[in-house]
Amino acid sequence: GTQISGFLNVVADDMKGMQLSGFNNISKNTAGSQITGFINITSKKMQGLQLAGFTNIATNVDGAQVSGFYNRAKEMDGFQLAGFVNHAKTVKGIQLSVVNIADSVASGATIGLFNFVRKGLHQLSLSYNDVTDVNLDFRGGTHAFYSILSSGIQLKANYIWSYGLGFGRQFKVSKKLFSNVELSSHALSSKASSFDNLNLLNKLNLNFGYQLAPHFSLNIEPTLNIYVSDAFNENTQKYGYDIVRTPIYSKNYTSSGVSIWLGYSASLKF
């Protein structure tokens, strides 16, 4: 059946059908949909769709939770989409939000700026590469799919800063050896400029790692760099900072420039 209210719908036991309200829907078990302007609550099993302007809460979900801010479930089998935070104990499916939190991911992936899977991958790395001298990265998610938060600095006169986001996947080669494929994008700035100009360094990394200890590894990374900038450099007569070593492609366009070159990185991950 259907419940329609301007404020609140409550079903003390099982709800089969649709609850539609302006503020809050509540039921014990739901087979169908809960649609509201603020918060949906299913105290036990939700089969179908929870759609809320602010928050969805359920114990077991077989379907989807879509909200403007926060989704929470104990067992999630399906899809969580939130404006800010998804939270689940066990995930079978996809979490998509700014922040995703889970105890474990049985299948699927957590996709966001910050992912924390307690029984997954949460890793810091300290690295040196051909552009920035000191870099600190965080990887969070699962080995099958993780997000990357990155920061770095070039320790020269103008101090080029780097802030980046990315994602990757890890492959186990043997007991001690592993490999990663990562794609990331980094915004660059310096003391002499700001983030007002476009200075975007995109990287494709192929990582080779050796596990020295359970939470400590040594890594080397061949890198394909693609640098796009609209800030014209009078000294080099090219667009962007003077960070390109030996380009395999470099061209100035009407209002921007693109350079492509092969680089490298060495890191310690823990």
Side-chain angles (χ1 to χ4, degrees):
T2 302
Q3 281 188 320
I4 300 175
S5 171
F7 186 74
L8 173 66
N9 290 313
V10 178
V11 174
D13 200 357
D14 296 344
M15 171 68 194
K16 294 183 179 180
M18 181 176 70
Q19 286 183 312
L20 177 63
S21 73
F23 184 78
N24 185 202
N25 293 313
I26 300 172
S27 72
K28 183 179 179 181
N29 295 296
T30 302
S33 60
Q34 289 182 312
I35 302 172
T36 186
F38 189 70
I39 182 170
N40 290 312
I41 300 173
T42 294
S43 61
K44 291 196 174 180
K45 188 167 185 177
M46 174 72 208
Q47 291 180 291
L49 170 68
Q50 282 187 315
L51 177 63
F54 187 71
T55 298
N56 292 308
I57 297 173
T59 301
N60 298 324
V61 176
D62 184 1
Q65 290 181 310
V66 180
S67 74
F69 185 77
Y70 178 64
N71 291 316
R72 182 170 181 174
K74 185 177 180 181
E75 305 291 329
M76 179 69 210
D77 189 351
F79 180 63
Q80 281 186 318
L81 171 64
F84 189 61
V85 179
N86 287 316
H87 188 188
K89 183 177 181 182
T90 303
V91 175
K92 295 179 181 178
I94 300 294
Q95 285 184 315
L96 180 60
S97 185
V98 177
V99 177
N100 297 299
I101 301 170
D103 184 76
S104 63
V105 177
S107 61
T110 59
I111 304 171
L113 297 183
F114 180 82
N115 299 303
F116 183 82
V117 181
R118 191 177 71 85
K119 297 177 182 177
L121 177 71
H122 24 88
Q123 185 181 76
L124 288 173
S125 71
L126 187 64
S127 67
Y128 171 87
N129 63 50
D130 60 299
V131 176
T132 44
D133 303 311
V134 181
N135 302 274
L136 182 64
D137 301 339
F138 173 78
R139 291 166 175 81
T142 66
H143 292 89
F145 186 92
Y146 55 84
S147 62
I148 306 167
L149 297 176
S150 176
S151 63
I153 183 172
Q154 185 188 91
L155 299 174
K156 292 184 180 179
N158 285 327
Y159 290 102
I160 296 176
W161 297 90
S162 169
Y163 303 94
L165 300 171
F167 58 88
R169 180 183 176 96
Q170 181 169 306
F171 302 90
K172 189 173 182 179
V173 178
S174 67
K175 186 177 179 179
K176 294 286 188 179
L177 296 174
F178 61 90
S179 179
N180 303 65
V181 177
E182 297 179 345
L183 184 65
S184 60
S185 187
H186 306 257
L188 304 181
S189 183
S190 74
K191 288 169 59 178
S193 65
S194 67
F195 288 107
D196 294 338
N197 291 109
L198 174 67
N199 279 292
L200 198 63
L201 179 60
N202 305 291
K203 291 173 171 279
L204 175 62
N205 292 342
L206 178 60
N207 176 84
F208 300 97
Y210 181 79
Q211 202 74 43
L212 299 170
H215 298 287
F216 187 67
S217 65
L218 176 65
N219 302 263
I220 57 171
E221 300 177 6
T223 304
L224 177 66
N225 295 297
I226 304 174
Y227 181 36
V228 181
S229 177
D230 66 0
F232 190 72
N233 189 326
E234 294 290 345
N235 295 325
T236 62
Q237 292 298 300
K238 294 182 179 181
Y239 286 93
Y241 299 118
D242 187 18
I243 60 173
V244 181
R245 299 295 175 258
T246 307
I248 55 178
Y249 176 86
S250 184
K251 185 173 182 179
N252 285 353
Y253 294 91
T254 304
S255 58
S256 64
V258 177
S259 294
I260 302 174
W261 73 99
L262 297 177
Y264 59 87
S265 176
S267 66
L268 296 173
K269 296 179 180 178
F270 44 92

